[in-house]
Amino acid sequence: MITGFATSPGTKKYSKAFPHLDEAGHFRCLDSVPGVGELCLSTIGLGTYLGEPDAATDNSYLEAITAALRGGVNVVDTAINYRNQRSERNIGEALQFLISDGELSRDAVLVCTKAGYLAFDEDIPEDPRDYFTRQYVQPGIARPEDIVGGMHCMAPDYLADQLERSRRNLGLETIDVFYVHNPETQMRELTPAVFRERLKAAFVMLEEAVKNKKIRYYGVASWSAFRVPEQQPAYMSVGMVAEIAREAGGTEHHMRFIQAPFNLSMPELAASKNQKIDGRPASSTDAARHHGIALIGSASLGQGQLTEGLPDNLKKKLNTASDAESAIQFARSAPGIACSLVGMARRAHVAANLKIAAQPLTPGPQWESLFGA
């Protein structure tokens, strides 16, 4: 396995290798996140969610990941269930090639993955229920009562099993960020007290994984929890997650990342005051900063839905040439968002996105004026 992990000196050195991007503000250093050591992350990260689980898509992703790492993107994001573990393996192959060839240093790139959903291996089996029974239930990795909705599990033994599979898939001794994937899925069937117990048990296991140098940090990757109003069943507060992390790992805990959608059609992380800081209404971006957590925005293009049909005045306000550029520029310029993930399954996607990465970030007041527009 490749040893090491992302470091402040490594990511800073990487950013300086792309002066035109660095001068444009494409790299942000996490100076407000305790224990992270001022990692410098590209404002655009590479996502690997979409695509068929086949060899042709594997080859396309491999080319895209390699081009991105060569071109100024040092955040790559995946999950063990993405394309039946193929996306993790594509990232692992690209990293192995570039690092062994001396083109890339392990300490320059932040590698993130997730676990929580039941994951197939390469292909969908003829009998999925039988597959999961043999793989997880019979060996005692997951109990039937741990699985919610027939698809989600965050029991410690299950997460530990998935972590080992992800380490092998990625070829990494240490994964930089390991997320509990969409834990709010379990809130449909559990009482708040039981849900909290399960999330704390997961965090305790992940703190142990940090001690064993299997991961560097951990976090929560959510689709709806931090965006919806407090009255919604899927709601989670940043403060609650931070409190559970302190219970699991003390004040020096390693729960330092939250991932959630942030884009033109889902701007709630910044626009909604659905959180509280000392009893006062606050946005998720403000709450994350208050608790020393980095926010990673996902779905910057709305899974492809924001590449056309946007208001014409957005291009003028953001100084962009296309709707896709406008969506990415909006997401990456947001105050409080450390990195904005964009799906890049083709080398052409990488080239287009690096073009917008070379553009200066939209200044705060100008960016905030978009909400009035």
Side-chain angles (χ1 to χ4, degrees):
M1 288 189 180
I2 299 169
T3 60
F5 44 79
T7 67
S8 177
T11 54
K12 285 180 179 178
K13 183 178 179 180
Y14 181 90
S15 70
K16 299 305 178 185
F18 304 93
H20 67 297
L21 298 179
D22 193 34
E23 292 170 7
H26 175 55
F27 295 95
R28 285 197 185 99
C29 294
L30 303 182
D31 53 4
S32 64
V33 182
V36 173
E38 295 190 15
L39 295 175
C40 289
L41 308 182
S42 52
T43 57
I44 296 174
L46 184 145
T48 58
Y49 172 57
L50 298 177
E52 294 298 320
D54 56 31
T57 309
D58 287 341
N59 292 333
S60 185
Y61 260 120
L62 183 58
E63 289 183 356
I65 296 162
T66 303
L69 292 170
R70 282 173 169 164
V73 173
N74 74 335
V75 178
V76 290
D77 180 84
T78 188
I80 192 167
N81 65 304
Y82 287 179
R83 302 178 52 251
N84 304 338
Q85 304 188 50
R86 287 175 177 262
S87 288
E88 283 190 334
R89 290 165 184 162
N90 297 155
I91 290 173
E93 187 175 352
L95 290 171
Q96 183 66 46
F97 172 75
L98 292 173
I99 292 173
S100 63
D101 202 42
E103 290 190 61
L104 181 71
S105 176
R106 171 65 186 96
D107 61 3
V109 56
L110 190 84
V111 182
C112 314
T113 193
K114 321 175 189 71
Y117 287 106
L118 300 180
F120 298 120
D121 192 342
E122 294 281 342
D123 302 301
I124 299 175
E126 291 185 7
D127 188 342
R129 183 183 295 273
D130 177 68
Y131 171 82
F132 289 128
T133 298
R134 287 185 290 103
Q135 284 284 317
Y136 300 113
V137 177
Q138 290 177 353
I141 296 169
R143 302 174 302 171
E145 57 265 33
D146 294 328
I147 302 172
V148 172
M151 61 177 179
H152 193 276
C153 182
M154 59 181 185
D157 287 346
Y158 178 75
L159 293 180
D161 172 88
Q162 298 295 278
L163 172 56
E164 292 306 313
R165 294 175 192 240
S166 291
R167 291 173 69 224
R168 291 195 299 269
N169 289 341
L170 293 163
L172 300 179
E173 184 177 271
T174 305
I175 295 171
D176 295 296
V177 184
F178 188 85
Y179 294 107
V180 181
H181 199 178
N182 289 4
E184 70 268 27
T185 302
Q186 301 223 349
M187 298 176 80
R188 306 176 198 157
E189 299 184 16
L190 305 179
T191 65
V194 172
F195 174 80
R196 187 182 178 109
E197 288 175 6
R198 288 193 177 186
L199 190 59
K200 180 180 176 180
F203 284 4
V204 169
M205 170 263 157
L206 293 170
E207 288 288 347
E208 190 66 24
V210 173
K211 291 179 183 177
N212 293 328
K213 299 182 179 180
K214 295 181 178 182
I215 62 175
R216 187 71 169 156
Y217 310 103
Y218 64 95
V220 170
S222 165
W223 184 255
S224 56
F226 304 106
R227 298 188 301 108
V228 298
E230 187 175 359
Q231 299 77 20
Q232 293 292 321
Y235 174 82
M236 290 168 59
S237 75
V238 175
M240 181 193 75
V241 174
E243 182 180 5
I244 295 172
R246 287 192 295 272
E247 292 173 2
T251 57
E252 302 299 316
H253 67 82
H254 297 81
M255 203 295 296
R256 296 300 175 185
F257 288 83
I258 283 177
Q259 183 187 124
F262 183 79
N263 57 48
L264 281 164
S265 63
M266 292 187 286
E268 295 91 351
L269 293 184
S272 176
K273 302 286 186 181
N274 65 344
Q275 305 287 324
K276 286 186 173 62
I277 299 176
D278 298 329
R280 293 175 287 105
S283 66
S284 290
T285 52
D286 290 337
R289 187 183 302 109
H290 176 78
H291 290 286
I293 298 169
L295 265 184
I296 305 294
S298 61
S300 299
L301 290 176
Q303 298 180 350
Q305 299 301 307
L306 298 174
T307 57
E308 59 183 7
L310 299 180
D312 290 336
N313 65 340
L314 275 178
K315 298 189 193 72
K316 182 177 180 180
K317 286 180 173 290
L318 292 167
N319 191 29
T320 51
S322 69
D323 286 347
E325 286 188 8
S326 296
I328 294 172
Q329 181 68 357
F330 170 82
R332 69 187 285 264
S333 297
I337 301 294
C339 174
S340 298
L341 300 175
V342 184
M344 302 186 217
R346 299 177 184 175
R347 189 163 48 187
H349 296 160
V350 175
N353 296 337
L354 286 174
K355 180 181 176 183
I356 195 67
Q359 178 173 314
L361 298 173
T362 303
Q366 184 179 342
W367 183 86
E368 290 174 1
S369 73
L370 295 170
F371 288 95

